[in-house]
Amino acid sequence: MKVDGTPYRTIWLAADGTTVQAIDQTLLPHRFVVRDLRTMEDAEVAIRTMIVRGAPLIGAAAAYGMALAMATDPSDAMLARAYTVLMESRPTAVNLRWALDDQRALLAPLPPAQRRRAAYRRAAEICDEDVEICRRIGENGLGLIRKLKPRDTKSGRINALTHCNAGWLATVDWGTALAPIYHAHDAGIPIHVWVDETRPRNQGASLTAWELGKHGVPHTVIADNAGGHLMQHDQVDFVITGTDRTTRGGDVCNKIGTYLKALAAHDNGVPFYVGLPYPTIDWTIVDGVRDIPIEERSARELSHMTGRTETGELATVQILPEGSAGANPAFDVTPARLVTALITERGVCDASEAGLLSLYPEQQNRAA
Ligand code: MRU
């Protein structure tokens, strides 16, 4: 997608052929800064501190992290260390494990002298593949949007509601949840997006609003608690989110608060769609509530907020009283029964094992 007329991906290889560059998402929407990742440790810090975030982008960054490790030291010991260090950077998004398993399976049988080149090539392929997958999710989701009739006939627009950021910033390009919205907007469909601010890190207010604005998509930021009210008043035609891990049974793990949106959508008969690429499906798990590890993040994300002052500096302020404890589970699981449909690069299916297997029949014999 373009930033002020210049096409960008979220992550790419620099001209020196070794350094990896990524947009620093901790500074958006106030500063647009590109960070250099020169070592595997830089990649690990970028994932852990959310300079890069969003399940598909975490996978792409981990793949480049393996390449950076091989550029420093292509030994078996470094391969094993890089795998372990990167795997521990964030626990919930399964794309991380998928990308690391993929790189390790490719690199381990190769002689060390060939590993650096192979690792960079595979990381670049993973990025290109992600772009194409997300483009197809956009096309498949557009088919669903075309069938919707606005509930508020006076407004003459289709109203989407999204949570967190599952746009191009969360992937390499296009996004998952936002790809159908970009396709609809580009096709001339009058679409407007309610953007959940997504406390505590505000990925909706900071990132989704920024990228929709850069592309000219009409949108309105709302407090996380406003969605149910808007649904009761016919102001939401569909909800669409991304996912960090989807079980083979169709349970969807996504940013904390997604489950409450799904409950409100269910109660109001509003379709709840989830956009996902195949590396986000965890074929080893059926029950997401029981088996998906939920990342617990620092309470400081609740107690402090960063923003731009009237004079243009970035400032961090404390909003909780001294001494109050905070708990910060970063994700929750929406059971499959609350999901109207899954939108993948291969098509649209029911959120169920049968639905997923109808699109991915090659997984039929893989044990849960
Ligand atoms: O903690 P984050 O910002 O990495 O969480 C991101 C999300 O929850 C996204 O919705 C999810 O990764 C899907 S991204 C296409």
Side-chain angles (χ1 to χ4, degrees):
M1 306 296 276
K2 288 185 180 162
V3 179
D4 301 332
T6 306
Y8 274 94
R9 287 183 173 186
T10 51
I11 194 165
W12 62 92
L13 188 60
D16 67 9
T18 303
T19 309
V20 177
Q21 295 187 304
I23 298 170
D24 184 342
Q25 301 194 23
T26 63
L27 298 177
L28 289 172
H30 306 300
R31 305 263 193 278
F32 185 84
V33 172
V34 171
R35 294 272 174 224
D36 285 347
L37 312 179
R38 297 182 189 282
T39 62
M40 180 270 287
E41 288 78 8
D42 288 349
E44 189 274 334
V45 169
I47 297 169
R48 185 165 39 79
T49 62
M50 296 176 66
I51 288 170
V52 293
R53 31 67 54 198
L57 177 56
I58 289 170
Y64 268 123
M66 291 291 268
L68 289 163
M70 294 299 94
T72 313
D73 168 10
S75 67
D76 284 355
M78 180 54 127
L79 187 58
R81 193 168 92 80
Y83 182 92
T84 306
V85 168
L86 290 164
M87 185 70 95
E88 285 169 6
S89 55
R90 288 197 73 189
T92 301
V94 78
N95 307 55
L96 176 71
R97 184 180 82 197
W98 172 84
L100 292 173
D101 284 348
D102 186 284
Q103 281 282 38
R104 187 172 64 177
L106 171 77
L107 300 174
L110 294 179
Q114 293 176 18
R115 286 178 178 165
R116 173 197 163 119
R117 191 154 175 268
Y120 273 102
R121 196 171 49 219
R122 184 61 191 136
E125 279 169 10
I126 285 174
C127 289
D128 290 346
E129 191 185 316
D130 183 66
V131 177
E132 178 55 16
I133 284 173
C134 289
R135 194 188 63 73
R136 287 198 215 156
I137 291 171
E139 282 179 356
N140 294 333
L142 174 59
L144 292 175
I145 294 174
R146 283 194 193 283
K147 290 185 195 141
L148 293 169
K149 301 262 179 298
R151 289 171 177 240
D152 176 5
T153 45
K154 288 193 295 297
S155 78
R157 66 185 190 186
I158 296 284
N159 285 301
L161 185 147
T162 194
H163 191 70
C164 194
N165 173 261
W168 74 271
L169 289 170
T171 62
V172 178
D173 206 349
W174 281 110
T176 55
L178 294 194
I181 287 169
Y182 287 129
H183 276 72
H185 174 80
D186 292 353
I189 295 171
I191 191 158
H192 163 265
V193 186
W194 298 110
V195 178
D196 280 355
E197 63 174 347
T198 319
R199 281 282 288 150
R201 286 188 67 100
N202 298 319
Q203 291 97 324
S206 302
L207 305 176
T208 301
W210 180 81
E211 63 163 271
L212 288 174
K214 290 285 173 205
H215 198 76
V217 179
H219 63 279
T220 307
V221 179
I222 51 174
D224 289 331
N225 298 327
H229 166 77
L230 291 171
M231 290 183 215
Q232 285 174 325
H233 292 273
D234 289 337
Q235 294 302 302
V236 181
D237 295 305
F238 70 110
V239 179
I240 189 161
T241 72
T243 166
D244 287 81
R245 196 183 289 227
T246 298
T247 69
R248 69 184 293 143
D251 291 350
V252 168
C253 182
N254 194 52
K255 181 54 52 191
I256 192 80
T258 303
Y259 171 48
L260 292 177
K261 291 298 132 67
L263 284 172
H266 187 70
D267 194 44
N268 289 281
V270 172
F272 185 94
Y273 297 128
V274 177
L276 68 151
Y278 79 88
T280 308
I281 304 168
D282 187 342
W283 296 100
T284 69
I285 291 179
V286 177
D287 182 338
V289 176
R290 194 188 58 197
D291 292 332
I292 295 180
I294 300 296
E295 179 180 10
E296 282 283 339
R297 295 188 61 88
S298 164
R300 191 178 160 87
E301 292 182 349
L302 280 175
S303 61
H304 289 70
M305 286 183 92
T306 300
R308 191 177 63 191
T309 66
E310 282 179 2
T311 50
E313 297 96 50
L314 296 189
T316 300
V317 295
Q318 181 176 332
I319 58 170
L320 259 58
E322 264 331 305
S324 286
N328 187 11
F331 297 93
D332 61 24
V333 174
T334 298
R337 67 187 161 79
L338 299 176
V339 178
T340 309
L342 300 173
I343 308 168
T344 80
E345 72 283 354
R346 290 198 186 172
V348 176
C349 70
D350 285 347
S352 65
E353 183 160 357
L356 281 168
L357 287 174
S358 71
L359 295 181
Y360 300 94
E362 70 277 16
Q363 301 291 340
Q364 185 79 49
N365 297 325
R366 185 162 169 178

